[in-house]
């Protein structure tokens, strides 16, 4: 039994990760400031004696007496709407917050995994994206607080590793979806499903030809867990589903799967919105023996079922 800290554990991915780690017989300490996360996501977990919730902002120092074995650092708003709401706070989470969490790992001799992102590649000029690609990122636009924040977070991880021998892991997560996304999350899958279920217009930003590759959350959790528990491999490693599609195709699929009467409405494309994105996952296949298993249609059905069941 390990004691594992999950920052951002009340959020979408974090809540699935906490449940998965508890099911494996670990003690889990979830640290979250509830900015985009919700107690509802961890309500069931609260009943487990091996689960502890600490409401805390990682930008502030965190002291934990109990010996921590592993830390998954997920604390950061992930939806463009939310990370741009308070961009300076987003940068703080990825700099001061990251330094605090690596410092905690150093003190405890714990292994720490960073939830990095495909956004480090920006609006990519290489396709699909390999880990060796250095990216095409605007550093003073509205997405920069997140993109540059996540880039500097990787830098901090590697510097603490080189200077202080901190045991690090870096996962570059590509678009992930599933139950426990917030209704007002603002990302494309949850927006389209919520709109489709209410028979409201589906808001496509731009012409809908931009592409993304969507990974179901259970696949991602397996990948994060494998990375954390694989020896002699730090990453960075892409974790995502290589099936690429444009947002217009996604909208049509969601309308069909939810038997919706929604119509498509074209809206303004936000600045610096990446035109295409698809992970090259050869490294994850080789080093982690990992690749996604869940078909997009099955993941979407599961997510539609979740949103149908939400009250209000
Ligand atoms: P989310 O917004 O649902 O979860 C983030 C969680 O972090 C929330 O519970 C939020 O309250 C918490 N948080 C934010 N700032 C905090 C702070 N300063 N202190 C403590 N807690 C804080 O988003 P998610 O999709 O679950 O993303 C989790 C992580 O994975 C993020 O770091 C994100 O950047 C990364 N990621 C996600 C995706 C994706 O497609 N879901 C893709 C790439 C990277
Ligand atoms: N998008 C859209 N309609 C929405 C929300 C998002 O067309 O209601 C588009 C967005 O412009 C982007 C893609 O869907 O091209 C994915 O957006 P999301 O915010 O989910 O994540 P991103 O990959 O851009 O961080």
């Amino acid at each position: 039994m390990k004691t594992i800290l999950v920052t951002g554990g009340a959020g979408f991915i974090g809540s699935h990760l906490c449940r998965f780690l508890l099911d494996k017989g670990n003690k889990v300490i979830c640290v979250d400031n509830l900015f985009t996360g919700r107690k509802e996501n961890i309500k069931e977990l609260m009943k487990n004696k091996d689960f502890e919730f600490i409401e805390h902002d990682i930008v502030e120092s965190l002291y934990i007496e109990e010996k921590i074995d592993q830390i998954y650092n997920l604390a950061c708003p992930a939806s463009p709407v939310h990370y741009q709401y308070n961009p300076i706070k987003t940068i703080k989470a990825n700099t001061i917050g990251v330094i605090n969490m690596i410092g905690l790992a150093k003190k405890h001799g714990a292994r720490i995994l960073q939830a990095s992102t495909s956004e480090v590649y920006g609006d990519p000029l290489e396709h699909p994206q390999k880990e060796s690609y250095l990216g095409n990122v605007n550093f003073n636009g509205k997405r920069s607080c997140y993109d540059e924040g996540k880039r500097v977070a990787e830098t901090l991880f590697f510097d603490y590793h080189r200077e202080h021998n901190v045991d690090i892991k870096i996962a570059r997560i590509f678009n992930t979806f599933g139950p426990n996304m917030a209704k007002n999350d603002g990302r494309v899958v949850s927006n389209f499903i919520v709109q489709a279920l209410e028979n409201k217009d589906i808001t496509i930003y731009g012409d809908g030809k931009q592409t993304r590759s969507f990974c179901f959350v259970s696949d991602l959790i397996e990948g994060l867990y494998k990375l954390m528990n694989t020896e002699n491999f730090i990453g960075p490693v892409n974790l995502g589903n290589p099936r690429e599609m444009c947002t217009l195709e996604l909208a049509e699929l969601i309308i069909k799967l939810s038997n919706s009467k929604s119509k498509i409405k074209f809206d303004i494309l936000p600045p610096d919105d990446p035109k295409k994105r698809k992970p090259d996952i050869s490294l994850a296949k080789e080093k982690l023996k990992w690749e996604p298993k869940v078909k997009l249609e099955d993941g979407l059905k599961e997510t539609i079922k979740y949103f149908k069941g939400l009250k209000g």
Side-chain angles (χ1 to χ4, degrees), residues 251-285:
E252 282 160 357
L253 183 58
I254 289 177
I255 291 174
K256 189 176 122 204
L257 293 176
S258 51
N259 292 317
S260 170
K261 296 188 184 64
S262 291
K263 300 269 175 300
I264 285 177
K265 178 182 148 212
F266 292 94
D267 241 316
I268 296 161
L269 184 70
D272 297 325
D273 198 290
K275 285 181 263 316
K276 49 191 172 176
R277 181 181 294 153
K278 170 182 167 152
D280 179 321
I281 59 163
S282 330
L283 190 64
K285 280 185 182 164

Side-chain angles (χ1 to χ4, degrees), residues 84 87 137-146 148 271-272:
Q84 290 170 25
V137 180
N138 179 359
F139 48 85
N140 53 26
K142 287 200 161 177
R143 293 178 87 100
S144 312
C145 59
Y146 184 76
E148 291 293 340
D272 297 325

Side-chain angles (χ1 to χ4, degrees), residues 21-213:
L21 295 172
L22 285 169
D23 288 349
K24 294 246 177 239
N26 299 292
K27 163 142 203 227
V28 174
I29 304 175
C30 164
V31 168
D32 202 298
N33 68 352
L34 300 178
F35 172 47
T36 50
R38 291 163 303 143
K39 280 207 174 144
E40 186 62 28
N41 282 346
I42 51 169
K43 203 171 88 188
E44 283 304 306
L45 309 184
M46 294 284 215
K47 295 176 192 156
N48 190 321
K49 64 171 182 23
D50 293 323
F51 182 77
E52 186 185 339
F53 172 65
I54 304 175
E55 188 169 341
H56 177 85
D57 193 314
I58 62 158
V59 171
E60 308 298 330
S61 303
L62 177 65
Y63 300 97
I64 298 215
E65 278 184 23
E66 192 176 348
K67 168 92 174 65
I68 306 288
D69 300 303
Q70 295 182 338
I71 303 175
Y72 288 84
N73 186 44
L74 273 62
C76 174
S79 155
V81 180
H82 292 121
Y83 69 64
Q84 290 170 25
Y85 172 75
N86 185 345
I88 295 164
K89 184 63 197 272
T90 301
I91 297 177
K92 283 187 181 169
N94 283 302
T95 49
I96 304 168
V98 162
I99 291 171
N100 285 338
M101 291 308 105
I102 306 178
L104 192 69
K106 184 167 167 261
K107 191 168 146 193
H108 284 255
R111 178 172 284 180
I112 180 164
L113 181 149
Q114 167 65 357
S116 189
T117 167
S118 52
E119 287 284 326
V120 299
Y121 304 123
D123 189 5
L125 303 175
E126 175 180 301
H127 195 74
Q129 294 80 52
K130 281 199 194 74
E131 290 82 354
S132 55
Y133 178 50
L134 296 182
N136 175 39
V137 180
N138 179 359
F139 48 85
N140 53 26
K142 287 200 161 177
R143 293 178 87 100
S144 312
C145 59
Y146 184 76
D147 299 12
E148 291 293 340
K150 290 285 186 178
R151 282 163 74 104
V152 80
E154 285 201 21
T155 311
L156 284 165
F157 266 71
F158 275 99
D159 281 337
Y160 271 86
H161 174 66
R162 284 185 289 253
E163 295 294 309
H164 299 292
N165 213 17
V166 174
D167 188 0
I168 63 160
K169 303 276 178 179
I170 313 276
R172 289 191 184 148
I173 304 171
F174 282 64
N175 296 65
T176 299
F177 72 99
N180 291 8
M181 291 185 93
K183 207 174 163 186
N184 69 346
D185 180 89
R187 280 176 282 183
V188 68
V189 175
S190 48
N191 267 11
F192 285 2
I193 293 180
V194 171
Q195 290 161 347
L197 290 178
E198 294 174 358
N199 293 311
K200 289 190 176 148
D201 287 346
I202 304 277
T203 53
I204 297 232
Y205 303 160
D207 58 10
K209 290 195 184 123
Q210 68 271 42
T211 68
R212 294 293 186 272
S213 308

Side-chain angles (χ1 to χ4, degrees), residues 202-272:
I202 304 277
T203 53
I204 297 232
Y205 303 160
D207 58 10
K209 290 195 184 123
Q210 68 271 42
T211 68
R212 294 293 186 272
S213 308
F214 299 99
C215 183
F216 190 61
V217 66
S218 59
D219 280 332
L220 178 79
I221 299 296
E222 290 271 353
L224 292 175
Y225 183 76
K226 282 194 166 175
L227 174 61
M228 180 62 110
N229 296 293
T230 297
E231 298 308 316
N232 305 317
F233 177 63
I234 289 176
V237 62
N238 291 339
L239 294 179
N241 191 317
R243 176 172 168 193
E244 184 185 9
M245 61 164 40
C246 67
T247 53
L248 190 56
E249 247 178 297
L250 177 74
E252 282 160 357
L253 183 58
I254 289 177
I255 291 174
K256 189 176 122 204
L257 293 176
S258 51
N259 292 317
S260 170
K261 296 188 184 64
S262 291
K263 300 269 175 300
I264 285 177
K265 178 182 148 212
F266 292 94
D267 241 316
I268 296 161
L269 184 70
D272 297 325

